[in-house]
Amino acid sequence: VYLRIPRRKLALACSLPPALAYVWLGGAPPSLVRAALMLVFWAWLYWRGRPQVVLDGLLWAVCVIVLFDPGAADDLSLQLSACAVAGIALARPLAALLPRRLRVLGGLGGVGEQDGLAERGRMAERGGAAIHDGYGGSAATHPPHPMHRSTTPPWLTRLVAYAARTLWVTLCIQLILLPLSARVFGTSSPWFALNLLFLPLIDGVALPLGLAGMAMAPAAPEVAGWLLLIARWPFDLLLVSLRWLDGVGLLGAPQLLRPHPAAMLGLWVLLGATVLQVSGQVADQASGGPTGQGAGATRR
């Protein structure tokens, strides 16, 4: 099986039964049904050979929901969920607006940049360094001087990349949600950076221990109780932190002007056009296209 089916396709296929069981266990509320539909469409599109399926799966899921329930288009929870997932899907294209060094740091570069980063990582592991040819690729390699070898531990590099990627994805979600939040609530929270602290705790501690506690509840209720108790700690820490921030007056959200729906649409269109323009230039530079050749000629 592993030799015939790629790992990602197999992972998506294996994730469908637990996801559907979780929808049944949770009573099939609209939020879980939306998430399950997105996962089903993501798996279907990926199995059909589409590598980037998050945004397409989101559009398919929203279309099916609105087709069977036209009133869901006015549901605020559906709007917020769709915008949040769209922010996640657009995080890599939006990264074209960042300087190249920051894109490479967070692993958010394009295909050419990622290939170059992988090549540099392989050369670093072999104790060599790459000489770039001015077009985004590497023309030759040579062993580095001992004084030039990186002394940064690999775990620290991965931690910095994870923090940068998490912060950027969260910022993209806030950017896509900003017009809707301003329109509906008249405000937007500036404390999205707290995700850097609590997302690892929730994903790495609370959810695994919670699922383990649920699985062990029939056979070992006492062990399951301890697991669920420990799984509460990240949420308790989050509530304590939020109460402290509120107590010192730092949790107040700034008031924003409520935009007109036409202004909201205009912001999203301008943002998309800017991303397409900048990402096209980045792709040309990475692939040695007209823009990249011009840049190489200028450097020479």
Side-chain angles (χ1 to χ4, degrees), residues 16-298:
L16 289 177
L20 297 178
Y22 186 72
V23 172
W24 171 79
L25 183 64
S31 58
L32 291 183
V33 173
R34 287 195 300 266
L37 279 176
M38 292 179 192
L39 182 61
V40 168
F41 281 113
W42 290 339
W44 176 63
L45 291 172
Y46 197 82
W47 270 81
R48 291 179 61 87
R50 295 192 184 184
Q52 305 296 333
V53 299
V54 178
L55 195 58
D56 292 342
L58 169 65
L59 294 176
W60 273 100
V62 172
C63 288
V64 169
I65 292 172
V66 174
L67 180 64
F68 284 92
D69 184 12
D74 297 326
D75 186 5
L76 180 59
S77 62
L78 175 61
Q79 297 172 5
L80 293 173
S81 298
C83 288
V85 177
I88 297 173
L90 295 175
R92 186 178 292 275
L94 286 172
L97 303 175
L98 294 174
R100 183 178 182 276
R101 184 180 297 272
L102 293 180
R103 294 198 301 269
V104 174
L105 176 65
L108 296 167
V111 176
E113 291 176 328
Q114 294 293 28
D115 293 342
L117 180 61
E119 176 65 21
R120 288 195 297 273
R122 289 190 293 268
M123 290 306 304
E125 292 177 356
R126 294 195 298 262
I131 300 176
H132 295 277
D133 59 359
Y135 296 96
S138 56
T141 59
H142 68 88
H145 191 275
M147 295 298 294
H148 295 164
R149 291 182 180 175
S150 176
T151 58
T152 305
W155 65 267
L156 182 58
T157 302
R158 289 192 294 268
L159 180 62
V160 172
Y162 173 81
R165 187 163 53 248
T166 302
L167 184 61
W168 177 248
V169 171
T170 307
L171 180 61
C172 291
I173 294 173
Q174 294 295 322
L175 181 62
I176 301 298
L177 283 174
L178 181 60
L180 183 60
S181 299
R183 174 71 180 178
V184 175
F185 305 108
T187 185
S188 181
S189 175
W191 286 102
F192 59 87
L194 289 176
N195 288 338
L196 290 176
L197 175 61
F198 290 106
L199 281 181
L201 290 177
I202 294 174
D203 293 342
V205 177
L207 290 180
L209 290 180
L211 293 176
M214 292 173 57
M216 296 188 64
E222 295 183 358
V223 177
W226 280 104
L227 291 175
L228 294 176
L229 179 63
I230 299 174
R232 280 185 44 192
W233 290 352
F235 299 101
D236 293 339
L237 179 60
L238 174 61
L239 292 177
V240 170
S241 302
L242 293 177
R243 291 193 186 100
W244 180 82
L245 290 173
D246 190 27
V248 298
L250 296 177
L251 205 58
Q255 297 296 317
L256 303 176
L257 295 176
R258 296 181 184 269
H260 191 272
M264 298 168 57
L265 180 61
L267 174 62
W268 286 325
V269 170
L270 287 176
L271 185 61
T274 304
V275 168
L276 289 176
Q277 175 67 21
V278 178
S279 61
Q281 295 177 358
V282 171
D284 287 341
Q285 293 175 358
S287 61
T291 305
Q293 291 178 358
T298 301

